[in-house]
Amino acid sequence: MRDVETVSGDAALEEAVAIEQIELYCRYVTPSLIPSGVVTSGLVFFFWGHVSDVLLVIWLAFQVGVSLVRSLVISSFWKRSDPSAHAPRWRNRMVAGAFLAGAGWGMGSMLLYRAAEADYRVLVACTLPAVCAIAAGTLSALPRAFPSFMFPMMVPFLLVNLAEHTWLGYGLAFLGTLFVIILLSTSHRILTATFHSLRLGHQNRILREMADAVSTAKSDFLSSVSHELRTPMTSVFGFYKLIKKKM
């Protein structure tokens, strides 16, 4: 029975930590949705006339649509009826949204890299890693969220550079790969630290509740014992006074 209770307690603790991870993720991601749209609009403005206008509009619409979907999912999470249930389902939805956002940026890298001018390619080569680095700080609170965003975003960029068959392309692909490895390691450390911090906080809260319960039980026990002893002690004291008076 004790083993069953321990497993049940651990499951409840893991569920609580998972929900708090999702809440932390939503707090971090929500402020970044509008800047993401602003950056996308800026790139569309700079590349207008250098890349197919139709493709640029389609890409912008996709990015805005993904941001709206992610915003709706986050809003639904905050408005959920049961605040402590279905953590895996909500986590999968958040991870899917991160994947779609990364895929949008990956498509953008392949689209914008078609510009022939070197300075425009430099703009893309600077923008994508910057977006990826910012995402490492906002998405690392949730397991699998950052890798799901980064791989569909950076892999097309690396493949496009490799397809150039130039030393510059090979160099950018090599540096991009190192960048991806470093960000993955950093994101993993952030995720681990966040998880242990949240878990420790919940464990401390449980210990405080247990200590309060023990203190309350002790007070109730002492109150009950003193009440039960008061009546017989009163009788004993009365008999003592009577015997003393007789003697």
Side-chain angles (χ1 to χ4, degrees):
M1 177 64 69
R2 183 175 301 174
D3 294 339
V4 174
E5 292 177 353
T6 301
V7 172
S8 177
D10 291 341
L13 178 62
E14 297 297 331
E15 183 80 11
V17 172
I19 288 294
E20 194 161 349
Q21 281 181 308
I22 299 174
E23 293 177 351
L24 196 62
Y25 171 87
C26 293
R27 294 192 191 99
Y28 289 162
V29 170
T30 301
S32 68
L33 295 178
I34 294 179
S36 176
V38 172
V39 173
T40 303
S41 301
L43 289 175
V44 169
F45 173 78
F46 282 114
F47 280 85
W48 193 267
H50 299 274
V51 184
S52 172
D53 298 345
V54 175
L55 293 178
L56 285 175
V57 172
I58 293 175
W59 179 57
L60 177 61
F62 180 84
Q63 291 286 79
V64 172
V66 169
S67 295
L68 288 176
V69 170
R70 297 176 73 190
S71 178
L72 290 175
V73 172
I74 292 174
S75 177
S76 299
F77 172 76
W78 289 122
K79 296 178 181 178
R80 66 194 188 280
S81 57
D82 189 353
S84 61
H86 308 300
R89 185 182 65 185
W90 287 109
R91 182 171 57 239
N92 292 336
R93 291 179 180 179
M94 304 297 176
V95 171
F99 174 81
L100 290 176
W105 283 107
M107 290 187 296
S109 67
M110 299 184 68
L111 170 65
L112 302 179
Y113 234 64
R114 295 175 58 186
E117 296 84 350
D119 50 351
Y120 285 93
R121 294 193 175 193
V122 171
L123 179 61
V124 177
C126 294
T127 302
L128 292 183
V131 172
C132 199
I134 295 173
T138 58
L139 304 182
S140 296
L142 194 66
R144 303 194 313 273
F146 179 68
S148 299
F149 175 85
M150 185 190 63
F151 281 114
M153 176 181 180
M154 293 300 297
V155 169
F157 175 76
L158 301 178
L159 294 178
V160 167
N161 281 285
L162 289 175
E164 295 290 326
H165 298 295
T166 61
W167 285 110
L168 178 60
Y170 294 145
L172 287 175
F174 174 73
L175 294 176
T177 302
L178 289 180
F179 178 76
V180 167
I181 294 174
I182 293 173
L183 278 188
L184 280 177
S185 177
T186 302
S187 174
H188 179 71
R189 288 197 297 269
I190 295 174
L191 175 63
T192 302
T194 302
F195 174 79
H196 287 303
S197 177
L198 295 177
R199 184 181 177 87
L200 183 61
H202 279 282
Q203 288 176 334
N204 290 337
R205 191 177 301 114
I206 292 174
L207 290 176
R208 285 196 300 270
E209 292 175 355
M210 292 176 61
D212 293 339
V214 170
S215 178
T216 302
K218 182 184 69 174
S219 300
D220 293 342
F221 172 76
L222 293 177
S223 176
S224 176
V225 169
S226 63
H227 176 74
E228 295 297 330
L229 290 178
R230 187 178 296 113
T231 300
M233 289 301 295
T234 301
S235 301
V236 170
F237 185 69
F239 279 112
Y240 165 74
K241 291 176 66 176
L242 180 61
I243 295 174
K244 184 178 179 180
K245 183 177 179 180
K246 293 293 183 180
M247 293 182 64

